Amino acid sequence: MKTPKNTETRTWPGAIPLESLYTAGLGGQVFFKALKERGEIVGTRCASCKQVYVPARVFCERCFAELSEQVTVRPQGTLVSFTFSNFNRDAQPLARPQALALVRLDEASTVLLHYLLKVTDPTQVSIGAQVKMVIKPKAKRTGSILDIEGFVLA
Amino acid sequence: MSMRRVAVVGAGMTKFMRRALETPKELAWLAAKGALDSAGMTLDQIQGVVHGTAPDAFDGLHMKGEYLSEGSGGWKKPYLRCYVGGGTGVYAIAQGWFQVASGLFDTALVVCEEKMSTCLPHPQAAFLTIFDNITEQPLKPNLLWIFALEQNRYMARHGIRVEEIARVSVKNKRNALGHPSAQLGAELTVKDVLASEIMAWPVHRLMVSPTSDGAAAVVLAAEDVAKRVTDKPVWIQGVGWCLDTTYWTNRDLYYPEYVEKAAWMAYHMAGIREPRQEINIAEPYDPFAYKELHHLEGLQLAPKGKAPQLLADGVFDRDGDLPSSPSGGLLGVGNPIAAAGTMKVCELFWQLRGEAGPRQVPGKPRRGVAQAWGDLMQVGTVVVMGTAQL
Ligand SMILES: [Zn+2]
């Protein structure tokens, strides 16, 4: 970013100098460990609310129960919505549109946001389509949501 | 509920603009002073001050609420900053309302401000860290993704065409031509809107509200004070708010259930059973064109999926059966986040007093609803205002 200049008594440049170290959490560690080590998608179930939360969580937001029952779900699901974004985070145009997907995995109650791969145009995609998750090979996994490359149409 | 009656007795706002020369404090002061002047009151008559402003990052400093306290009239007074993201501008009214309704104070000044132009290279940057930092941030999401995904889901669920959504931009930008504070009033056609570039499919640039600097404020007063200072108090008949899960992906985005819950909370308080028959004006939150339709449905002012047809039929025009965003909305007046919701409350105040000038809705409207939306797209905030003291 170009450093803006002081403009004739009207404005003054500055920044909030901060970086963050975010915490995966007790639930997040379960999810990311399974993803990194076994290439599996792990959630937790609340039996009384009949919810399977993916990624795994330690508590149910509906009834406040502690969730200890882990479930491994299959890496496939249904496209709940999609978009093709033409701009980046700084509101600058992208060279190629980036496709995004909301996916409900077949055995989960919750929905994941991720990239939609190998499509270039909205006409190739429709809500309700079946999709498969693409997981990186083990050697390339680091324990991040980016260990998932995205989804492809099944 | 044994609450005191509370009225809005004054309203004021700054111009909404891309980059104001005023500091955030100065913007807040302009709006607050305008509201006090319109009530014929002075700061020493105000007992409590409620301030609303969205993410600190917009103004580039932390403790933004404290920074804005003097501009909002908070010097040596009980001062409260409240915050539910974009929903703040209407939520702040509820915060002021219960300070007065409870009997704690006889008067409260509610001031909302945003100065988005401080942010470089673009105010969108301030929204980036609202996403879950473990499961979403690594994808480098931009805010438009959410709205595009939601609009697509809404359209697909009901078979709505993008042209039908574009009509909202046409209506609101036209309505804004009559607003002295408006940033983006314009006479446009559906064709113009669809010819504007696609930001994130199916969202076109002219379906997105601008980033803005601005402030808006109202003065609230208990019944006896209200009747002393004005012949035309506008009563707060109901307030409501509701938060859904922050895991935004897990909601079915086609329908804002949290708005429905917030609306019914306010409607029950106001004794409203048939919102479509009992409400004369709506000011739903419209940062994106589809959101006005989405929110009208959540507010129970259109059946699910039917708002686009009612819009096409002219129901929501300024001279229609249920004028919606007669102010010009966020799409036309502008979107300084927290101030935008309060601008909608100001509009109801002016409309219900018959003081909206060229924007005046015909037929002496008696009751209106204003609504805002925000946080991680999970909060609905609602206020019902009317000329009748219930
Ligand atoms: Zn539960």
Side-chain angles (χ1 to χ4, degrees), chain A residues 4 11 22 32 57 61 80-89 98 100 102 110-111 113-115 127 145, chain B residues 19 120 124 133-135 137 139 141-142 145 148-149 152-153 156 197-201 245 247 249-250:
Chain A
T11 58
Y22 298 121
F32 287 113
R57 302 186 197 172
E61 64 193 15
V80 168
S81 191
F82 65 91
T83 182
F84 285 73
S85 178
N86 292 320
F87 288 83
N88 72 6
R89 312 183 105 194
Q98 182 176 38
L100 289 316
L102 286 182
T110 55
V111 174
L113 170 71
H114 221 296
Y115 303 124
I127 288 177
I145 200 72
Chain B
R19 182 169 184 97
L120 297 174
Q124 188 189 202
N133 47 44
I134 304 295
T135 59
Q137 285 291 359
L139 300 171
N142 93 39
W145 291 10
L149 291 162
N152 191 12
R153 179 98 190 133
E197 67 189 319
I198 296 175
M199 308 286 289
W201 187 88
T245 177
Y247 296 92
T249 56
N250 297 345

Side-chain angles (χ1 to χ4, degrees), chain A residues 45-51 53 59-65 67:
Chain A
R45 186 196 311 274
C46 178
S48 53
C49 296
K50 297 186 171 54
Q51 294 288 304
Y53 295 103
F59 70 93
C60 174
E61 64 193 15
R62 301 185 179 211
C63 70
F64 249 34
L67 302 180

Side-chain angles (χ1 to χ4, degrees), chain B residues 327-347:
Chain B
S327 62
L330 280 55
L331 287 163
V333 184
N335 187 9
I337 311 290
T342 308
M343 174 276 284
K344 287 183 168 280
V345 173
C346 293
E347 182 70 9

Side-chain angles (χ1 to χ4, degrees), chain B residues 44 47 57 66 79-80 96 128 155 201 218 224 228 233 251 280 283 293 300 309 312 364 383:
Chain B
D44 57 3
Q47 294 178 338
E66 293 78 352
Y79 174 79
L80 168 81
L128 301 180
M155 289 169 61
W201 187 88
V218 295
D224 52 333
R228 204 161 63 231
R251 302 194 295 267
N280 308 129
E283 277 285 346
L293 304 168
Q300 315 298 297
Q309 186 58 52
K364 294 197 168 55
V383 60

Side-chain angles (χ1 to χ4, degrees), chain A residues 61-134:
Chain A
E61 64 193 15
R62 301 185 179 211
C63 70
F64 249 34
E66 185 174 351
L67 302 180
S68 53
E69 185 190 348
Q70 292 177 14
V71 272
T72 301
V73 301
R74 280 175 291 161
Q76 61 185 56
T78 306
L79 196 62
V80 168
S81 191
F82 65 91
T83 182
F84 285 73
S85 178
N86 292 320
F87 288 83
N88 72 6
R89 312 183 105 194
D90 296 333
Q92 296 302 308
L94 293 168
R96 270 192 306 273
Q98 182 176 38
L100 289 316
L102 286 182
V103 175
R104 186 185 308 279
L105 297 177
D106 291 340
E107 294 154 300
S109 314
T110 55
V111 174
L112 284 175
L113 170 71
H114 221 296
Y115 303 124
L116 187 58
L117 309 171
K118 298 181 180 172
V119 290
T120 52
D121 188 276
T123 59
Q124 300 167 324
V125 191
S126 58
I127 288 177
Q130 299 302 298
V131 292
K132 284 186 174 165
M133 184 183 274
V134 180

Side-chain angles (χ1 to χ4, degrees), chain A residues 16-22:
Chain A
I16 300 177
L18 283 175
E19 287 189 22
S20 302
L21 187 62
Y22 298 121

